[in-house]
Every structure is written in C-alpha cells, then in structure tokens.
Amino acid sequence: MLQRTDNLNSFTRLVILISILAVGSGCQMIELEHADVPAPDPAGITNGTPTNYASWQGVVGVVWQVDGWGPVACSGILIAPNVVLTAGHCVWSIAGGTDFRTTPEELEIRGGSDVYTAGDWFHLADVQEAIVHPGWDGNLVVEGTDISVDIAMLLLTEDITTIEPYLLRQPPAPVVGTLGTIVGYGNSIDGDTSTQGVHRMGGTTVLEITQEFIQVGNPCGLCHGDSGGGFFTEQGGEMVVTGINSWVTSGICNSMSDGWVVNVATYIDDIEDVMAVWNPSEEPDAGPDGGDLDADTDSDTDSDSDSDSDSDSDSDSDDDDVDHGDDSCGCAVPGFAAPEGTGILSALLAI
C-alpha cells in the first residue's frame, strides 16, 4: 500500500510510508520461539509480470490521498459488485497512523495498469463503510495465542458492473505444493519504490500452511504495495480467492519465499456473514410447502430457514403477500456484537 516516492524529498517520509503496510514476500517458515520471530514487513510482487489491466481486473487499487505526498495505495479484491476484500492493516494500522473505519469516504477504489500515473488509472467507486475483522486490533501479530486476523471489508457507494467479482475458496485450504497466482499493485523489485503501483501477477507455490496463514513463493513473491491483493488457486474449475496478501517475515521482498497471505478458508464464514448483511438475499422465505410464508389472514409462528419467529397477525388479502409481522433481524455477525439500539452496520463500523 506504499506510494511511489518520485515526489518525496525525505528518507523519513519513505520510512513512515513503509511502516503503513504489512504485506511481504516469503521464505520457508523457520521454527522460532515467539520472541525471536522477526517483525513482519510490508510487501509487492517480485518477479511479477505487468498485466496492463487486461487480466485479473477484480484485483483493484485501494487508494487515499496524503497531504504533500499524493496517493498511497493498498490492493483489494472485488468479491461482490459492491464489496472489496482487503487487508485489515489497509483500513486501520496503529504503526502507520491510519484509521478509515470512521472516515471511509477518504478511500477510493481505482482500476487500471498503474494507480499512481495519470492516464493509466480510472475511478471505479468510493467507499461508504470500512470494517475490520474483530480479530484485528491495528497491530499485526503472526505468532502465539493472539494472532491478528488481517482482514477488512469495504462497502462501496455503487456497484461495479464492468468487472466480474471473484468467488471465495471454500474449505479445505490448498495443500503444500499447490500452484496459484498472486496479484497486486506492489513493487517488482525490493527497495525500488518507482516500481510500485503497477498491476502485476505472478505464479507462486504454497510453501507452508497454518490455520491462519499460507506462505507463498517460487517463482514469484510479495512485496510493498501488494497488501490486500489476492492469492488465487483453482477450485471447482475456476480461480478463487484463497488468500489475502498480508505480511513478510523479513524486510527483503523474496520471490522464492517469506510471503504470507491470510488463509481465506479459515475465515470464510466471517466474510460471508458480512456479505449477507450488506447484500441480504432477496429470495422470499420458504415455508414448509416451499411457498410464501404469509398465507392470507395468517397468525403464523413459522420455523423457516432463517429461524425467526414471525408471530405476525397480518390479514393480507392481496396476491402479492408481504410480511407485515415483526420480522426484524436479530442476527449478528460472529465477533461483532451489536450494541442495543444500534443497527448492525453501525456496530460493525465501531469495531
């Protein structure tokens, strides 16, 4: 999510920007005591190939403006016409001093071959809601009992209808040795910030798997700016989102190893539950007979698939039945406790 520094005039600014991002490239994970684990560093695709935005268009830029610096960017993944999946640290990073949970309008979703160069990028959508997983507290922890869940989701102000959203990988996770593709807007050469912001893809391999993360590399790895982008593997005959680019185990972007992505199969229910809140199904409730639950002059207490107790006493006599009963949603996304008297989206935003 780092900015190209063509227009920066101080090394200090570069260091601050680098601290914003936590994605990285990777090498084989070494068994270390928690205290000896190197601090994770930001990450971009090394050895990657520019796509010219002719492919993998659902991997988009998540961009914001920094006074005096210009744009700064993470990557993101379109998983519904109005939802972008990204890394938690792209929305809220204590080290980076950023928090868009209460100012989502400061984020912009861009497409194009280079999100920093005029004429090579274009506006796709603005953001109206930005939430993080309840397991993300603004700091990346990758070992021990308090592992950070580096996931965030963005609700857009409009549907993106020109790009096909990606499907999410369903369990099980891939096995070691599985081939896949990483995509993002990060560096192609470690330390060369002039290569940031270009839409790239690269073939990679699953090197290590934990419950929370998947290590990727060989022949391509992650680097600065790829945060929030996608790791894709084949499932059901198509490429699906298998990982969210998250962190590296060293400060050097290694094409052969050390790149870690969030294991999507582990958190699929959490992601889909938020999707269900933002994009509720328009299908009518199916009663025992498969039809409309609201029979005319009904006083039903149904046991339908959403497990609500309608307890409605409506007397609808038209052909187009609408439930006028007390069918309010009492659901909550796992880990997101909705305070009494607030709507679910307000509760999510307050996390």
Side-chain angles (χ1 to χ4, degrees):
M1 87 185 189
L2 301 181
Q3 171 196 14
R4 280 215 304 252
T5 56
D6 310 45
N7 62 337
L8 298 184
N9 56 18
S10 98
F11 177 77
T12 300
R13 287 181 174 178
L14 178 58
V15 170
I16 292 173
L17 282 178
I18 289 177
S19 70
I20 295 174
L21 184 59
V23 180
S25 54
C27 62
Q28 291 277 358
M29 185 171 71
I30 302 172
E31 292 297 326
L32 298 173
E33 293 298 326
H34 178 48
D36 297 326
V37 175
D41 285 308
I45 293 173
T46 53
N47 281 353
T49 302
T51 68
N52 296 316
Y53 208 61
S55 61
W56 299 102
Q57 294 174 349
V59 176
V60 297
V62 180
V63 181
W64 64 94
Q65 298 291 326
V66 178
D67 290 344
W69 296 348
V72 177
C74 268
S75 303
I77 311 160
L78 190 71
I79 58 173
N82 63 339
V83 179
V84 167
L85 183 66
T86 189
H89 70 264
C90 293
V91 168
W92 174 28
S93 171
I94 292 175
T98 53
D99 190 347
F100 298 108
R101 293 173 299 168
T102 56
T103 58
E105 68 278 1
E106 294 182 11
L107 297 174
E108 178 188 13
I109 305 303
R110 292 183 179 181
S113 59
D114 186 334
V115 291
Y116 293 141
T117 301
D120 290 334
W121 67 267
F122 51 89
H123 175 85
L124 284 171
D126 292 315
V127 178
Q128 61 176 308
E129 301 281 352
I131 64 171
V132 297
H133 190 279
W136 175 253
D137 64 0
N139 291 295
L140 188 61
V141 179
V142 298
E143 294 283 343
T145 58
D146 297 322
I147 292 174
S148 301
V149 183
D150 195 13
I151 299 176
M153 297 177 70
L154 308 176
L155 178 64
L156 310 183
T157 56
E158 58 194 286
D159 287 356
I160 297 176
T161 59
T162 56
I163 300 172
E164 186 73 22
Y166 294 111
L167 296 177
L168 301 169
R169 184 175 182 101
Q170 302 294 322
V175 298
V176 171
T178 299
L179 302 180
T181 301
I182 45 177
V183 188
Y185 280 98
N187 288 20
S188 63
I189 303 172
D190 181 66
D192 184 356
T193 56
S194 68
T195 64
Q196 288 175 9
V198 175
H199 195 259
R200 292 186 179 88
M201 59 167 285
T204 197
T205 308
V206 173
L207 304 176
E208 181 96 15
I209 299 177
T210 71
Q211 181 76 4
E212 298 83 11
F213 298 105
I214 299 172
Q215 184 189 177
V216 298
N218 188 17
C220 295
L222 300 173
C223 199
H224 315 292
D226 285 332
S227 294
F231 167 53
F232 299 85
T233 60
E234 185 175 351
Q235 187 177 54
E238 57 186 307
M239 299 298 279
V240 298
V241 182
T242 302
I244 306 165
N245 301 340
S246 180
W247 57 282
V248 291
T249 55
S250 70
I252 299 175
C253 301
N254 185 343
S255 64
M256 297 301 292
S257 61
D258 284 342
W260 294 85
V261 302
V262 176
N263 189 347
V264 166
T266 297
Y267 302 103
I268 184 67
D269 289 343
D270 296 341
I271 297 170
E272 290 184 340
D273 284 345
V274 174
M275 293 267 283
V277 173
W278 281 349
N279 294 313
S281 174
E282 296 181 357
E283 296 180 2
D285 288 338
D289 59 356
D292 190 340
L293 287 174
D294 292 339
D296 290 346
T297 317
D298 62 338
S299 297
D300 59 298
T301 301
D302 62 294
S303 55
D304 59 359
S305 59
D306 60 345
S307 301
D308 58 12
S309 296
D310 279 352
S311 302
D312 39 294
S313 299
D314 52 302
S315 298
D316 26 327
S317 56
D318 50 73
D319 294 330
D320 186 15
D321 287 336
V322 177
D323 188 349
H324 298 285
D326 183 12
D327 221 356
S328 58
C329 176
C331 61
V333 176
F336 297 90
E340 187 173 352
T342 65
I344 183 65
L345 291 183
S346 297
L348 294 177
L349 187 61
I351 299 302

